[in-house]
Amino acid sequence: MEKKVSIIVPVYNAEKYILETVACVKAQTYADWELLLVEDGSSDTTRQALFRMQEESPDERVRVILQENSGAAKARNRGISQALGRYIAFLDADDIWEKDKLEKQLAFMEEKQAAFSFTGYEFADESGKGTGKVVRVPDTICYKQALKNTTIFTSTVMFDTEKIAKEKLEMPCIKSEDTALWFQVLREGILAYGLDENLVRYRRPPVSLSSNKLEALRRIWNLYRKAEGLNVPYSMYNFCFWAVNAVKRRL
């Protein structure tokens, strides 16, 4: 357990991508990991694909956990509750890690004595090929900075449970539950350390609908007002910075 990494993947209707995502974990240069695939009641053939994978390519480090459809937050929390590793890393079912991601991030966390770290990443097309648009990350982010810039991307995050108790890593069951967790942890005075290196490919659909953009606006506003309890002026202040930074990441 001393340096084992528990990788938590919520899996829902991911038949097109999940085997590639599993393959990127198996290809890691750092081998002391466990992969917890929380199958969240998919309605496609994802579950069958995972069972077939286990039969054809058995790996004792890979565990499939089944549950009825409950959403990403509960799926990640189920994985965290069953994790055996010292470190918790998150990976979405359609994203891809570079092969040295774990090795480099663990070395970085040891160097910085970090409880919470995240890395740079690259936007990718539907096939998983990088588009060349790489998101750079700052050396550190504190709570007040995170409110203005949600640059911490889920599939880049790693926590050290010797420094932050596992119970404090449970995601709230609200929209944008991952960002809500980052806020919760940072609000306690913990600093997040950024490894400014492109170690993750973030797969995005070719077209982003305007309704999705409006939903993102609603989600961040609700985080400020309901989850964080910020007053309207301070929410507006952070919201303006958030919007500018969100646009910059995508240009």
Side-chain angles (χ1 to χ4, degrees), residues 63-132:
R63 282 192 276 156
V64 177
I65 301 167
L66 305 178
Q67 69 176 30
E68 294 183 0
N69 181 244
S70 304
K74 287 188 176 179
R76 291 193 184 101
N77 292 343
R78 179 86 180 273
I80 290 170
S81 70
Q82 297 193 26
L84 302 176
R86 169 179 170 178
Y87 295 91
I88 300 289
F90 295 118
L91 175 60
D92 285 346
D94 55 352
D95 292 331
I96 302 168
W97 283 350
E98 302 302 332
K99 64 181 181 180
D100 53 357
K101 190 262 187 189
L102 287 181
E103 181 180 2
K104 288 186 173 180
Q105 192 166 11
L106 279 169
F108 175 76
M109 290 189 75
E110 289 189 346
E111 175 193 345
K112 301 294 185 181
Q113 291 294 294
F116 178 3
S117 74
F118 59 103
T119 78
Y121 60 94
E122 181 179 8
F123 289 111
D125 61 21
E126 197 168 9
S127 71
K129 182 179 179 181
T131 63

Side-chain angles (χ1 to χ4, degrees), residues 159-178:
F159 291 106
D160 181 352
T161 64
E162 286 194 357
K163 295 181 170 67
I164 305 175
K166 268 177 35 170
E167 306 82 69
K168 293 194 173 183
L169 299 180
E170 288 193 1
M171 293 191 174
C173 293
I174 59 177
K175 292 182 177 181
S176 295
E177 69 283 345
D178 46 1

Side-chain angles (χ1 to χ4, degrees), residues 10-72:
V11 185
Y12 178 71
N13 287 356
E15 60 184 1
K16 291 172 61 177
Y17 309 119
I18 189 57
L19 297 183
E20 185 179 4
T21 298
V22 171
C24 84
V25 174
K26 289 185 174 183
Q28 289 295 301
T29 55
Y30 185 83
D32 191 8
W33 50 260
E34 62 171 355
L35 178 61
L36 288 78
L37 301 164
V38 186
E39 207 295 307
D40 190 36
S42 296
S43 58
D44 63 3
T45 62
T46 296
R47 186 168 292 196
Q48 294 91 319
L50 293 177
F51 289 156
R52 188 165 57 249
M53 175 195 72
Q54 285 186 306
E55 290 177 4
E56 297 175 356
S57 306
D59 188 326
E60 63 182 10
R61 298 172 298 176
V62 179
R63 282 192 276 156
V64 177
I65 301 167
L66 305 178
Q67 69 176 30
E68 294 183 0
N69 181 244
S70 304

Side-chain angles (χ1 to χ4, degrees), residues 156-206:
T156 75
V157 165
M158 188 182 291
F159 291 106
D160 181 352
T161 64
E162 286 194 357
K163 295 181 170 67
I164 305 175
K166 268 177 35 170
E167 306 82 69
K168 293 194 173 183
L169 299 180
E170 288 193 1
M171 293 191 174
C173 293
I174 59 177
K175 292 182 177 181
S176 295
E177 69 283 345
D178 46 1
T179 301
L181 174 61
W182 317 154
F183 288 171
Q184 283 180 192
V185 171
L186 296 171
R187 197 190 321 122
E188 296 295 318
I190 290 170
L191 202 60
Y193 286 82
L195 173 55
D196 189 21
E197 190 167 340
N198 175 23
L199 298 174
V200 177
R201 276 174 275 158
Y202 170 27
R203 199 190 308 256
R204 299 172 71 212

